[in-house]
Amino acid sequence: MADSDLKGKWALILGASSGFGGTTAERLSREGMNIFGVHLDRKATLSNAEKIQDDIRANGAEAVFFNVNAAAQDTRDDIISRMKDRLGGEAAGGVRVLLHSLAFGALKPYITEESDGAISAKQMDMTLDVMAHSLVYWSQDLIRSGLMTKGGRILAMTSSGGHRIWPSYGAVSAAKAALESHIRQLAFELADKEITANCVQAGVTDTPALRKIPGNVAMLEKAQQVNPHGRLTTPENVADAIAAFAREGTRWMTGNTIRVDGGEDITG
């Protein structure tokens, strides 16, 4: 879109090869945004990331993807450096949008008869680090490096699981709750820099990440039953909303958890 205030700007998407991250990358490119994407794929799923990059370029935008662990500090340092090199003289304020859409955590119960069946301290720490704390570290590095300045938009994907119970979802639920808390703190601390921070609470969506949750079929069926629209949320629904949130006119919208679920959470 030639008239979009996003045209020519860059987005950094963590978790860019599938689900919400991949769909949003392609959607933002239709607004004229260039995309830095971070994803972790082995050979079997690498074609997904390659297709998304092809789609972005077909929309006339640039795609620079990194197939690495987004939660590792050395990875973060390297990507920040490479982003600055890529943007050159435009590095100051070069990233308009940061989308945190990392979905990698332990799906194990807290209490079992045998200790080896329950979640371990290492698994709990990993889940919180990847799905919550990494948002803070990426935000710190983007802002300290000057890559995100006035007008920046920090967005993070959460779910109703942050305040509801589902078997074996405990650590991920805790991560989502922490993610929402991090967003509120970032919104407060970044107000004077005129950078906003918001969570996007998607409805239950049939994504590769959801398919890994034990009992996902029942989860999908229940969501479809209670949603006022009689269907599931789609990645496209969420990507359309994120494209709207990224615009200049949302500069006074910060510190929120915004439901993009067709009313699912108010009835479920």
Side-chain angles (χ1 to χ4, degrees), residues 103-134:
F104 184 78
L107 294 163
K108 300 184 74 174
Y110 288 179
I111 306 298
T112 60
E113 292 297 324
E114 300 296 330
S115 61
D116 60 357
I119 194 166
S120 67
K122 183 177 180 180
Q123 290 168 330
M124 181 76 81
D125 291 346
M126 177 274 293
T127 302
L128 271 290
D129 187 58
V130 173
M131 298 188 69
H133 305 335
S134 62

Side-chain angles (χ1 to χ4, degrees), residues 39-117:
H39 62 103
L40 186 58
D41 286 279
R42 294 184 172 87
K43 186 175 180 180
T45 57
L46 195 56
S47 59
N48 297 334
E50 293 168 347
K51 181 182 184 304
I52 290 164
Q53 292 176 76
D54 289 342
D55 291 343
I56 292 168
R57 293 175 183 132
N59 291 334
E62 297 183 55
V64 180
F65 275 42
F66 308 95
N67 187 14
V68 293
N69 176 9
Q73 180 177 341
D74 56 349
T75 293
R76 202 165 55 249
D77 293 342
D78 180 58
I79 291 176
I80 291 290
S81 177
R82 291 166 70 180
M83 288 168 63
K84 291 182 73 173
D85 289 343
R86 176 63 185 79
L87 293 173
E90 301 175 358
V95 175
R96 173 66 171 271
V97 175
L98 166 63
L99 174 63
H100 186 282
S101 184
L102 298 178
F104 184 78
L107 294 163
K108 300 184 74 174
Y110 288 179
I111 306 298
T112 60
E113 292 297 324
E114 300 296 330
S115 61
D116 60 357

